[in-house]
Amino acid sequence: MIARSASRQPGRSPGTARFTVTEQLIRRGAVVIAVLGEVDVRSGPVLHTRLHGHVRKAGPDLIVDLTAVSFLGMTGLATLMAVWEATVIAEVEFIVVARTRAVLRPLRLTGLDRKFDVVPGLAAER
């Protein structure tokens, strides 16, 4: 089992959400990247790097758990699109787990919910 995390808190002002990314191998051939907090212009590049680090030919399927995300900005949407494109080329599955308005609304407004699989929970993926 892989379990790593990265967080961004330095210089955090009062009221600013914490951003954390954790990784867990859930079964042979699938890794879950769980995100907590706001995915914005400051945290988006961290997420982009962490997600791209798991995309490789015949690599593990990539499951991005956004159920604990409180804000998904344009940088986060662009990251999801870029990583999805990389998984298509690498021929691995890309699944986003989301069930909150803060995540589902921008995915629907941009049409990204029709580009890749968006599911409400991890139970079916395990």
Side-chain angles (χ1 to χ4, degrees):
M1 177 189 328
I2 299 172
R4 295 189 301 173
S5 69
S7 61
R8 174 191 54 81
Q9 293 181 12
R12 199 173 113 189
S13 61
T16 302
R18 182 175 141 179
F19 175 76
T20 305
V21 178
T22 58
E23 307 167 11
Q24 181 180 14
L25 186 62
I26 60 167
R27 60 178 158 79
R28 183 169 169 81
V31 65
V32 174
I33 308 297
V35 183
L36 169 83
E38 297 180 353
V39 183
D40 56 19
V41 73
R42 289 183 52 176
S43 60
V46 173
L47 182 60
H48 187 272
T49 300
R50 295 294 289 276
L51 293 177
H52 265 284
H54 289 283
V55 178
R56 58 191 162 279
K57 189 77 169 168
D61 291 338
L62 188 56
I63 302 169
V64 184
D65 183 352
L66 301 179
T67 56
V69 168
S70 57
F71 175 79
L72 182 63
M74 288 306 299
T75 303
L77 294 166
T79 293
L80 292 175
M81 184 66 185
V83 173
W84 171 75
E85 289 172 344
T87 62
V88 169
I89 292 167
E91 299 176 348
V92 297
E93 193 168 358
F94 181 73
I95 300 167
V96 171
V97 181
R99 61 177 167 253
T100 63
R101 178 182 164 97
V103 175
L104 291 172
R105 189 163 192 260
L107 290 175
R108 288 180 183 138
L109 288 172
T110 58
L112 290 179
D113 64 329
R114 293 184 302 274
K115 288 272 187 197
F116 43 76
D117 292 330
V118 178
V119 298
L122 277 172
E125 304 313 317
R126 290 182 187 238

